[in-house]
Amino acid sequence: MRPFGGFFNSEIAVLTLFLFFVSILLSACTGSEDFANPLDPENLRTSGAPDGLTLYAGDKQVRVTWDDTGQEGIKAYRIYRRSIGGTDTTFNQVGAIDAPANEFIDTQGLENDRRDASGRILAYEYRITYVDVNGVETPDPENPPAENAEPLRVWKTAFATPSVPPPAPTVTLGDPTDLTIKLFWEGYEFPYDFSIFRVYAALDTEDDKPLRFRLVAEPKRDRLYYFDNDFKVDGTRKVYRVAGVDEFGAEAITTITAAVPNVPPAPPKNVRVRYLARSLFNTKYDAVISWTPNTEPDLAGYQLYTEDADGKSLPRPAVGPKDRSFTIPGEDPILVGQSLEFRRYYITAFDNTPGPDGRRDESARVQARSQ
């Protein structure tokens, strides 16, 4: 009989060798360029089809969206459709759009609220391909991945049922707020089959490139607003789509464009000053000013001020956005009447965008309170 320790070591050696070969196999597969390329027909995750296929139904239409990665070599996208439960049994091309793009609206011969004789809802099924600069289409519609293939190799599809959508929301903009756009659709009239709201947003670059909308929120029926604070620079413009959605997923969209206003950050809070005497033999002191840091992502820094004996404001050092205290050394007190007094200190916050007048955009001044 082998000693227990020898048996244990032998089994460990066999297991280690097995794991070593497995790691080599996985490395060869997952490290290859073909597997890493999402548009390669052999890719286990996409089968070469553009990823992120998502459908949004409407009134006799379907909005087809996908992830446009901006990958070089893509010339166009082609959209295919077939009817599920109806007379169509094969996919037929219903549209094409040049790259870059991530959306196509299909309006060709679509019917609302389709059902079979038993009342079962009938859907439309979609697929999408890409065409490269050489005219090669992937996946190949003439030789598509088998529908009964292993799950990871199936050409991804999506389903939608057009329907008469609920009313489109009437959207208004809220009061201007720093780095925030407020959308409201108060007074919405809910139909019996209402499901949810959807809010889409796209950065408005004001050029000829197509807008790239993404779903940013799905407010429920008791929330008739959306606040977008995903901004880092004043003046950024976005285009919004606010949709009412019914139980079929059909949506009616209102489009609105808005820009975050060019306003300064909020004033710093909890501003304090400590006066530290330098010596018993003179009147000079150090002023230690502290505050609670701002949280605005476009914050560029803080500006310190003081006042002279006549109340005139004088600029002092500007400090960085990460600072939360600053010491002004060797200050002289000011003569007020017949007595010497410490100076008054103030602070503002400023952002990285000039104001409408072209000057630095500063918040209101806050006086430092003595600790």
Side-chain angles (χ1 to χ4, degrees), residues 32-334:
S32 70
E33 293 183 2
D34 288 343
F35 188 84
N37 180 4
L39 302 178
D40 191 280
E42 297 301 319
N43 186 295
L44 294 177
R45 185 171 59 86
T46 67
S47 294
D51 208 2
L53 177 60
T54 307
L55 308 180
Y56 300 97
D59 185 6
K60 296 184 178 180
Q61 70 175 33
V62 172
R63 183 161 59 91
V64 185
T65 68
W66 59 91
D67 296 338
D68 179 17
T69 62
Q71 186 165 327
E72 294 185 5
I74 300 178
K75 180 180 180 181
Y77 297 94
R78 290 177 182 168
I79 296 86
Y80 294 84
R81 183 193 80 202
R82 73 177 176 182
S83 174
I84 299 299
T87 58
D88 300 336
T89 58
T90 60
F91 283 93
N92 295 303
Q93 183 178 338
V94 293
I97 188 169
D98 292 336
N102 72 332
E103 177 177 295
F104 173 80
I105 298 178
D106 179 19
T107 59
Q108 296 188 31
L110 294 175
E111 300 177 5
N112 285 339
D113 305 323
R114 297 171 61 245
R115 298 176 184 268
D116 62 16
S118 65
R120 182 172 60 94
I121 296 174
L122 304 179
Y124 293 99
E125 184 178 13
Y126 287 80
R127 285 177 172 174
I128 186 171
T129 68
Y130 82 95
V131 181
D132 66 20
V133 292
N134 298 315
V136 177
E137 187 173 8
T138 305
D140 181 5
E142 300 299 324
N143 186 28
E147 293 190 29
N148 59 352
E150 59 181 286
L152 289 179
R153 287 190 179 274
V154 173
W155 186 356
K156 299 298 188 299
T157 64
F159 302 86
T161 299
S163 173
V164 176
T170 300
V171 183
T172 59
L173 297 175
D175 296 333
T177 305
D178 188 32
L179 296 180
T180 301
I181 289 178
K182 301 177 181 179
L183 305 178
F184 295 90
W185 50 93
E186 297 172 345
Y188 186 78
E189 296 184 5
F190 293 91
Y192 74 95
D193 61 347
F194 178 83
S195 175
I196 203 169
F197 295 105
R198 291 190 184 125
V199 181
Y200 307 91
L203 188 64
D204 186 3
T205 56
E206 298 183 289
D207 54 23
D208 295 332
K209 294 182 179 179
L211 297 174
R212 296 171 180 254
F213 285 94
R214 63 185 182 90
L215 180 65
V216 295
E218 289 187 320
K220 296 182 179 179
R221 62 186 300 149
D222 59 347
R223 186 176 143 200
L224 304 179
Y225 64 90
Y226 172 71
F227 291 179
D228 185 359
N229 53 18
D230 185 20
F231 296 95
K232 295 184 178 179
V233 180
D234 284 348
T236 303
R237 296 176 61 85
K238 285 187 180 181
V239 180
Y240 296 92
R241 291 172 173 173
V242 182
V245 186
D246 69 10
E247 294 174 350
F248 283 92
E251 55 183 20
I253 292 175
T254 296
T255 302
I256 188 170
T257 301
V260 287
N262 190 356
V263 297
K269 297 180 180 180
N270 302 318
V271 184
R272 300 287 186 268
V273 60
R274 288 188 296 147
Y275 304 102
L276 304 180
R278 283 200 149 197
S279 169
L280 296 175
F281 305 103
N282 63 48
T283 58
K284 288 184 179 294
Y285 65 91
D286 295 342
V288 182
I289 306 163
S290 61
W291 59 91
T292 299
N294 287 44
T295 59
E296 293 90 343
D298 65 341
L299 182 73
Y302 303 93
Q303 177 65 55
L304 299 173
Y305 294 90
T306 190
E307 289 182 350
D308 61 16
D310 298 325
K312 182 180 177 181
S313 179
L314 302 174
R316 305 305 293 270
V319 297
K322 295 184 179 180
D323 290 321
R324 60 181 62 196
S325 67
F326 188 80
T327 300
I328 303 179
E331 291 282 85
D332 287 315
I334 57 177

Side-chain angles (χ1 to χ4, degrees), residues 337-357:
Q338 297 184 4
S339 63
L340 293 176
E341 296 183 2
F342 293 121
R343 297 173 183 267
R344 294 177 179 177
Y345 295 89
Y346 300 83
I347 187 173
T348 66
F350 59 90
D351 61 24
N352 56 17
T353 305
D357 58 0

